[in-house]
């Protein structure tokens, strides 16, 4: 490919990703689906901006390699050993049961045992890239279901070589001895990598880091990952498996975080390119010729795998939610299906292979939607579990506290310490049960409901503290309370300066939740720098008073960004003058330190 053609293709890939991914992310469909659809649009069956997706697919597979390397960095040998039950027990069960089920279905449709076994091998493989990327994007990789998914994907990478040996036996091409020799080489390479990582790679990494040249460290990092992947491919194993082993070897290295920072940008770009290439490889022409066959087969693959995965996972995990996540995350067929089908050219008819490849690609498109459905289902189920009737409140105290999180608890502790009664309401049943175990009296209920506040004595109470986590719900509550209980003083927790502007417009005093602690930290910094305690306190108090006075001034302009910027610039100038005047009477830091040393020396001499 000439430079001009390469530049054009690079522009097409980047433009497709930059347009599609933000749109799909905004629609909450996920970045992976955005990349896949972008590939379908620009590929040979779409706008034909890219003619040969295989060129990009071969290069973009390094995105999967880097992804597995970063996953390996998060694990060490002990954690991998802890997952052995899931890797070998759950993984073996999943692969064998899937192959058996597909073979049985093949016999029902009179396709033959051998065709069924080969198709079952490909369908049993799931997409490492799609599964791990979506689980990571949704922050589900650390859950039990996510860990089980990772373990089985790792086993599938390990299972590729044995499955290729079985294909060689089924095709009868006389390569059985070579296949077994390849398996021996693979095991030897794994042992060699483990030894090299322990005794060679870490000292080399330390030597490279001592050069203090970042570009050399980045280059060595990429060389390490890609070199390990190339060695594994040389003996017939997955490149991703090699990268994973390299990551595990360095999981306890002192340079683990630097490696993560260096590899992450390359991983993101190449993994996005991989998904685009997969989207381009979908043969949309088959949809025109046999749409029902391809779609039906793809949906059948997803449905069959999801059902089998759920049934296999349930004995391993008590929670149905973890088993369901495992089932949807691995329900698609994966990249290794293409490899296995390509190796079975003597067994599968060309038409069957083409339909299977198309169905595998389509099955990959379903995973983002299934994970979204899983999230919504689990959220609704969680909401149903959380539903319960509000507690009956039969007390009337001078203070009502709406929200008993970390903010409300501090206020209530002060009030209780002074013997002042407070009626505490929170909408989280788990939080209510927890604080009750610690001896606090709290009521479950939705404090945004006026009837609940009325039963809590809002008509006779003196103060309502609104400490609800949700800013919009808190603001709506304050507005309703001002209308329903005008005599009730309201103090609100503001999570940001913007919230404080809203409350200032309503004439409600608001306490910014991090403002006070940040000022306390500023005071401690000043004292550490040598300011006397009363000097630091005076400076912090002056800043506090000035900044609080700015809230009502800026509130009328809270939607005018230009005006707020101008007020902010003026505020910086004003506060600089005010604090300079406060600090003018204090001695310079060096003099102050010297004076402190002198006073300390005088005291020592007197002693």
């Amino acid at each position: 490919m000439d430079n001009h053609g390469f530049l054009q293709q690079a522009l097409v890939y980047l433009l497709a990703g930059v347009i599609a991914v933000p749109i799909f992310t905004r629609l909450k469909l996920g970045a992976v689906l955005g990349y896949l659809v972008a590939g379908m649009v620009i590929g040979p069956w779409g706008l034909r901006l890219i003619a040969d997706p295989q060129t990009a697919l071969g290069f973009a597979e390094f995105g999967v390699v880097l992804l597995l390397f970063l996953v390996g960095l998060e694990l060490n040998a002990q954690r991998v050993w802890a997952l052995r039950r899931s890797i070998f027990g759950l993984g073996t069960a999943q692969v064998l049961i899937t192959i058996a089920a597909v073979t049985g279905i093949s016999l029902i449709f009179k396709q033959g045992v051998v065709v069924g076994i080969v198709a079952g091998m490909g369908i049993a493989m799931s997409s490492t890239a799609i599964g791990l990327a979506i689980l990571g994007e949704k922050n589900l990789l650390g859950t039990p279901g996510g860990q089980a998914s990772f373990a089985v994907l790792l086993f599938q990478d390990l299972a590729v070589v044995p499955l290729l040996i079985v294909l060689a036996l089924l095709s009868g091409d006389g390569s059985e001895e070579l296949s077994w020799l390849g398996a021996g080489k693979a095991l030897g390479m794994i042992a060699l990598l483990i030894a090299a990582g322990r005794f060679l790679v870490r000292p080399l990494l330390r030597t490279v880091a001592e050069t203090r040249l970042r570009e050399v460290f980045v280059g060595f990092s990429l060389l390490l990952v890609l070199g390990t992947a190339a060695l594994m491919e040389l003996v017939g194993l997955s490149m991703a498996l090699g990268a994973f082993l390299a990551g595990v070897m360095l999981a306890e290295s002192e340079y683990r975080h630097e490696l993560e920072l260096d590899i992450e940008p390359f991983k993101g770009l190449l993994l996005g390119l991989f998904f685009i290439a997969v989207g381009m490889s979908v043969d949309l022409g088959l949809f025109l010729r046999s749409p029902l066959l391809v779609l039906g087969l793809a949906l059948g693959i997803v449905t069959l795998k999801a059902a089998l995965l759920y049934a296999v996972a349930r004995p391993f995990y008590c929670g149905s939610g973890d088993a369901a996540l495992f089932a949807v995350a691995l329900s698609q067929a994966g990249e290794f299906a293409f490899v296995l089908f390509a190796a079975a050219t003597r067994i599968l008819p060309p038409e069957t292979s083409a339909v299977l490849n198309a169905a595998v690609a389509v099955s990959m498109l379903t995973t983002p939607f299934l994970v979204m459905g899983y999230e919504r289902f689990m959220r609704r189920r969680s909401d149903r579990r959380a539903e319960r009737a509000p507690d009956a409140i039969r007390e009337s105290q001078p203070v009502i506290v709406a929200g008993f999180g970390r903010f409300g608890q501090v206020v209530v502790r002060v009030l209780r310490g002074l013997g002042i009664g407070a009626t505490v309401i929170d909408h989280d049943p788990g939080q209510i049960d927890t604080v009750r175990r610690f001896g606090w009296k709290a009521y479950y209920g939705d404090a945004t409901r006026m009837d609940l506040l009325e039963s809590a004595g809002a008509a006779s109470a003196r103060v309502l503290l609104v400490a609800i986590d949700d800013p919009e719900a808190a603001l709506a509550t304050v507005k309703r309370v001002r209308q329903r209980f005008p005599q009730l003083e309201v103090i609100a927790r503001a999570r940001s300066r913007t919230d404080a502007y809203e409350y200032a417009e309503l004439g409600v005093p608001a306490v910014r939740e991090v403002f006070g602690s940040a000022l306390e930290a500023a005071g401690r910094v000043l004292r550490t720098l040598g300011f006397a305690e009363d000097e630091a306190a005076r400076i912090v108090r002056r800043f506090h008073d000035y900044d609080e006075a700015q809230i009502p001034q800026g509130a009328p302009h809270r939607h005018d960004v230009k005006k707020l910027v101008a007020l902010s610039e003026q505020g910086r100038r004003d506060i600089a003058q005010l604090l300079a005047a406060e600090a003018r009477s204090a001695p310079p830091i060096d003099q102050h330190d010297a004076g402190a040393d002198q006073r300390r020396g005088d005291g020592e001499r007197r002693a």
Side-chain angles (χ1 to χ4, degrees), residues 196-211 216-217 220-221 223-224 250 253-255:
R198 189 171 187 85
F199 301 108
L200 180 63
V201 174
R202 289 189 185 181
L204 277 176
L205 191 61
R206 192 175 300 113
T207 302
V208 172
E210 288 174 354
T211 65
V216 177
F217 189 84
F220 182 79
S221 303
L223 176 64
L224 171 67
L250 297 173
S253 167
E254 63 270 31
Y255 301 106

Side-chain angles (χ1 to χ4, degrees), residues 512-546:
R512 285 174 279 169
E513 61 179 23
V514 298
F515 187 54
S517 56
L519 288 179
E520 181 182 354
R524 294 191 180 191
V525 170
L526 293 177
R527 291 194 295 274
T528 303
L529 291 174
F531 285 83
E533 187 169 348
D534 59 336
E535 294 165 351
R538 190 169 62 249
I539 291 171
V540 169
R541 185 167 59 251
R542 177 59 65 91
F543 182 91
H544 172 275
D545 295 342
Y546 178 83

Side-chain angles (χ1 to χ4, degrees), residues 414-433:
V414 173
L415 295 175
R416 297 279 170 85
L418 295 171
I420 300 173
T423 302
V424 177
I425 306 170
D426 197 280
H427 71 285
D428 184 352
Q431 177 73 353
I432 292 294
D433 294 338

Side-chain angles (χ1 to χ4, degrees), residues 160-242:
V160 170
V161 170
L163 292 179
L164 287 173
I165 293 174
V166 173
L167 281 179
L169 294 172
L170 292 174
S171 61
D173 59 1
S175 59
E176 293 87 347
E177 276 190 35
L178 292 176
S179 297
W180 287 109
L181 180 61
K185 288 181 179 179
L187 292 175
M189 182 61 70
I190 291 176
L192 179 63
L193 283 179
I194 294 174
R198 189 171 187 85
F199 301 108
L200 180 63
V201 174
R202 289 189 185 181
L204 277 176
L205 191 61
R206 192 175 300 113
T207 302
V208 172
E210 288 174 354
T211 65
R212 300 185 183 278
L213 296 174
R214 185 171 180 80
E215 65 275 14
V216 177
F217 189 84
V218 173
F220 182 79
S221 303
L222 291 173
L223 176 64
L224 171 67
V225 178
L226 301 183
T228 308
L231 288 174
M232 295 299 274
E233 187 182 37
L234 189 65
V235 297
L237 280 177
S238 153
M239 290 193 298
L241 177 61

Side-chain angles (χ1 to χ4, degrees), residues 64-99:
V64 184
V65 170
L66 297 178
L67 172 65
L68 265 293
F69 175 74
L70 292 178
V71 171
L73 281 178
E74 296 297 327
L75 300 170
N76 52 35
Q78 290 77 16
R79 288 190 64 192
V80 174
W81 178 250
L83 289 172
R84 66 189 184 281
R85 182 167 171 257
S86 296
I87 295 174
F88 296 103
L90 191 58
T92 303
Q94 179 265 325
V95 170
L96 294 180
I97 290 175
T98 304
I99 293 174

Side-chain angles (χ1 to χ4, degrees), residues 98 101-102 105 123 298-310 331:
T98 304
V102 174
I105 294 173
I123 292 171
L299 293 177
I301 290 172
V302 172
T303 303
L304 175 67
K305 284 195 70 175
L308 294 176
L309 289 164
Y310 184 84
S331 60

